[in-house]
Amino acid sequence: MTDLILLPGLLNDARLWARQSADLADLARITVIPTYSQASIADLAEAVLAQAPPRFALAGLSMGGYVAMEILRQAPKRVERVAFVSTTARADLPEQTERRRVLMDLAASGGLGRILPTVLASMVQPVHAQGPIADLFHAMAQAVGIEGFLRQQNAIIGRVDSRPSLAAIACPALVVVGRNDTLTPPERAREMAAAITGAKLVEIADCGHLSAIEQPHAVSAALSLWLQG
């Protein structure tokens, strides 16, 4: 059975992947590794590799995708197949970095509660601003905590442009995006899929950035087909 490592995104913990972990349990041994333990993408990649088996399948959502790209640079032969979900290969633009620093200052001075409505609004469709998905996001964010959030944002700000390394990806690759994702929109996913030889692109209707919890069964279906080759 394949070993599958799942990497969550900003202010997410293992609960982000709960539906996929259940849906794919017959196909893979699944481990979810958090992405808030280190303040750089390179260090996060090293931490994942230290915990990972010699060979594994890898899927990352958003920030988890940034870490997955770095893992492929550090240890490409250890990755059997890779899935990039709701992510981009591009580095931060200056205006994106500035927005992150404003949120970091607000969180550091006034707590996560000051920023979570703004962050959530950027990640999900308006219909999910209240209700179970919002409740889950808030619970995950509180588990990550302010220090975890600051480490994550510093890592995201410092990430490199991964576009030049996409062509070197030689394992089977899947790119998944929500059609209503405004953070890492479909054109970014198409850009990635076009740059990776043989990559499959899946666009999910009625879905924002947090695809694994907004449209969990569609994400599970895409990952199931990818795992089965």
Side-chain angles (χ1 to χ4, degrees):
M1 184 179 282
T2 300
D3 286 294
L4 171 60
I5 291 175
L6 299 173
L7 304 176
L10 179 70
L11 288 172
N12 304 152
D13 62 14
R15 285 169 284 185
L16 176 82
W17 292 112
R19 184 68 262 163
Q20 291 74 40
S21 295
D23 290 345
L24 304 173
D26 291 341
L27 296 173
R29 287 182 295 268
I30 296 168
T31 304
V32 183
I33 298 180
T35 55
Y36 55 89
S37 63
Q38 309 292 329
S40 81
I41 297 297
D43 288 347
L44 284 165
E46 288 181 10
V48 172
L49 287 165
Q51 299 174 62
R55 290 269 290 169
F56 54 93
L58 178 64
L61 185 145
S62 193
M63 179 185 181
Y66 310 152
V67 179
M69 289 176 232
E70 177 63 25
I71 288 170
L72 282 163
R73 283 190 289 271
Q74 291 188 16
K77 293 183 179 179
R78 290 180 62 183
V79 181
E80 293 178 359
R81 58 189 61 239
V82 65
F84 301 112
V85 183
S86 304
T87 194
T88 176
R90 297 188 176 210
D92 245 21
L93 294 170
E95 55 266 33
Q96 292 173 311
T97 295
E98 178 57 30
R99 285 196 294 270
R100 293 187 199 284
R101 295 202 185 280
V102 169
L103 291 173
M104 291 165 73
D105 289 344
L106 285 171
S109 63
L112 284 175
R114 292 187 68 184
I115 67 162
L116 290 184
T118 299
V119 176
L120 180 63
S122 71
M123 289 190 174
V124 298
Q125 300 179 102
V127 68
H128 298 309
Q130 305 288 333
I133 287 175
D135 293 344
L136 173 58
F137 177 78
H138 281 261
M140 291 192 295
Q142 294 299 336
V144 172
I146 293 173
E147 293 305 315
F149 170 69
L150 296 178
R151 285 192 294 271
Q152 285 188 315
Q153 289 286 40
N154 278 313
I156 292 170
I157 288 168
R159 76 187 190 277
V160 301
D161 187 337
S162 291
R163 286 175 292 175
S165 62
L166 294 178
I169 297 174
C171 62
L174 170 69
V175 181
V176 178
V177 67
R179 288 195 180 135
N180 299 331
D181 187 341
T182 58
L183 277 184
T184 55
E187 55 264 31
R188 297 289 175 259
R190 294 171 197 143
E191 176 181 65
M192 292 182 67
I196 303 169
T197 301
K200 178 175 176 55
L201 174 66
V202 174
E203 298 186 25
I204 300 174
D206 190 27
C207 186
H209 186 65
L210 289 181
S211 51
I213 55 176
E214 285 191 84
Q215 292 292 349
H217 295 295
V219 172
S220 291
L223 291 176
S224 176
L225 291 172
W226 162 75
L227 280 170
Q228 295 178 77

